[in-house]
Every structure is written in C-alpha cells, then in structure tokens.
Amino acid sequence: MDKIIILFLIGLVAGVINTLAGGGSLLTLPALIFFGLPPNVANATNRIGVFFNGLLSWRGYHSKGIKTEKYDLWLSVTSFIGAILGSYIAVDIKGDTFNKILAAVIVFIVAYMVFGKKVKTDDAVIITKKSRLIGLVTFFFIGIYGGFIQAGVGYLIIASLSFIHHFGMVKINLIKSLTVLIYTLSALGIFIYTGLIDWELGLALAAGNGAGGWLTSRWSTKVNEKYIRYFVMFTALAFAIKLFFF
C-alpha cells in the first residue's frame, strides 16, 4: 500500500510538470525502475499515466475554451505512426542499455533546461504549406522518440512548435497534450500486446498523473514555471547518476 501511495504522489507531481512544460517522465520512469520493475516493463507501465495525463490535461484546456484545430490533429496522427516504430524498438531493449540511454537523455534534457533559449510568445504566428510540412515530418520523428522512451518529449514538442510556427505556450501545451494522448494509444497497444505492463503500479501512477494534468491545465496560465524547472532539474540529475553508476 505504501508503494501505491508513493507512486500516486509521484504521478501527481509529474502530471503538474507535464502539463506546465514537460519532463514528468524524467521522474516517473526512474521511480518505477527503482521500485524493482525491469526497465522495459517500467517504460511500458509508465505509459498508462502518460495517457491519462494527456487525456485530462487536454480536456482541461478545452473546458477553458482553448480548442483543437485540424492541423493539431494531423500532427498527432503523424506522431501516432512514428510511435509504432519507437515502441517496437523499446520492447526488446536490454535493461542495462535502457538505463544508460535514459540517464543520457536525462542529462541532455536538463542541459536544455539550463542552457536552451526560453520560449517566447510571438504574435507573428507562421502557418504556411512549408511550415505545416516541416511540422508533420518533425512530429513523425517525435513520435518515434516518444514511443521508444517518452522522457523529455514535452521539451521536443515545445522547441519544435516554437521554432516552426512561433506558437505561444498555451497553444503549444494544448497540442502537446493532444499529441501525447494520441501517440500513447499506439505505444500502449503494443506494450499491452507484448504483456509488459504492471497494471497495479501503472494505475496508481495514472491516478496521480491524471489528477495533476486536470488541475494544472485549468490554472497553468497563472503559474511561474521557474521553481518547477529547478525541482525537475535537481531531482532528474540525481536519478541519472543512480541509473548510470549504480
């Protein structure tokens, strides 16, 4: 029971982090590994929480009048296709290899959080045929990455949409929630088929993820992300050190 409560609380924190920017899986995925799950099982189990966080945060944005557009759906579809490939790669990867990859991903994402340029809201939104095509191709590869490991995918989405279209953070977070929701369906399908999911731990994590996503999506425009980023950076680096060296 203690394990269930702890995972719920970790999921709650991760749900808040995912909805504000991204990086919740930098906490939840190592936590599942430290609770004794094999890395590929932890990777698969983590997707239950990711799915419910995406679903409830997306619904939360809609309840505040922030609506999904047709292009947003096409981005999600291309990421769905990419995630099929990424998930198949994740099924058979060796545990030690996965831990090393995850540790490297965490270090890279934390470096991006420290040194990357801050996303700026720009009124001059760019929507052209060329930018849409670039966006669709980019989201296919984001889907491959998300299907494989998930951790830090939010930062890839934020950086891509900011660079390609100059969208503001509220719009980006709406698309991020929808994209993660859609492509996680393909990842979950493959992981369920291969029998890799620990449902008890996954549902505990999902309850926290979903609650954090729903609550945060309704007041995210009033939140200062700075302290959330500091918490993620220091905690994630501690996880990375343990994954790589112990």
Side-chain angles (χ1 to χ4, degrees):
M1 182 58 69
D2 289 344
K3 186 183 293 187
I4 299 299
I5 295 173
I6 292 171
L7 279 174
F8 172 82
L9 294 175
I10 292 173
L12 186 68
V13 173
V16 172
I17 292 168
N18 275 334
T19 307
L20 286 176
S25 287
L26 299 177
L27 307 182
T28 58
L29 190 46
L32 288 168
I33 293 173
F34 298 154
F35 271 117
L37 294 184
N40 60 343
V41 176
N43 187 27
T45 300
N46 184 53
R47 307 313 176 95
I48 305 174
V50 170
F51 173 78
F52 280 102
N53 176 252
L55 175 62
L56 291 176
S57 59
W58 176 66
R59 289 300 304 160
Y61 282 117
H62 266 238
S63 73
K64 299 297 287 185
I66 305 165
K67 301 301 182 182
T68 301
E69 298 177 7
K70 186 176 179 180
Y71 176 61
D72 307 346
L73 292 171
W74 278 111
L75 291 174
S76 301
V77 169
T78 59
S79 69
F80 177 94
I81 297 169
I84 295 173
L85 177 58
S87 300
Y88 272 116
I89 297 171
V91 167
D92 296 321
I93 194 168
K94 294 180 180 179
D96 187 59
T97 301
F98 183 87
N99 285 352
K100 295 292 192 296
I101 292 173
L102 178 58
V105 166
I106 289 174
V107 171
F108 178 81
I109 295 298
V110 170
Y112 171 80
M113 293 169 72
V114 174
F115 300 109
K117 292 182 179 179
K118 186 177 180 181
V119 175
K120 297 180 180 180
T121 301
D122 189 341
D123 292 333
V125 172
I126 300 173
I127 295 290
T128 63
K129 288 183 178 180
K130 180 180 178 180
S131 69
R132 287 175 187 266
L133 179 60
I134 293 172
L136 292 172
V137 173
T138 300
F139 269 64
F140 171 75
F141 287 102
I142 286 175
I144 293 176
Y145 175 83
F148 173 62
I149 202 169
Q150 176 62 34
V153 74
Y155 292 104
L156 295 178
I157 294 174
I158 290 169
S160 298
L161 292 176
S162 175
F163 178 76
I164 296 168
H165 296 299
H166 294 192
F167 288 149
M169 276 304 299
V170 174
K171 174 67 172 176
I172 289 174
N173 279 331
L174 171 70
I175 296 174
K176 175 163 61 67
S177 297
L178 177 63
T179 299
V180 171
L181 167 64
I182 298 299
Y183 81 62
T184 301
L185 283 172
S186 63
L188 266 179
I190 291 168
F191 292 137
I192 290 171
Y193 177 75
T194 53
L196 288 179
I197 293 178
D198 184 311
W199 287 99
E200 182 181 21
L201 299 185
L203 289 172
L205 199 61
N209 273 157
W214 170 258
L215 294 172
T216 309
S217 65
R218 296 179 60 80
W219 48 262
S220 62
T221 56
K222 303 177 183 178
V223 175
N224 187 330
E225 297 175 22
K226 180 173 66 173
Y227 300 110
I228 295 288
R229 288 164 65 87
Y230 289 155
F231 173 78
V232 174
M233 285 190 291
F234 289 118
T235 308
L237 277 177
F239 282 146
I241 292 169
K242 183 169 178 60
L243 283 167
F244 198 84
F245 294 106
F246 298 100

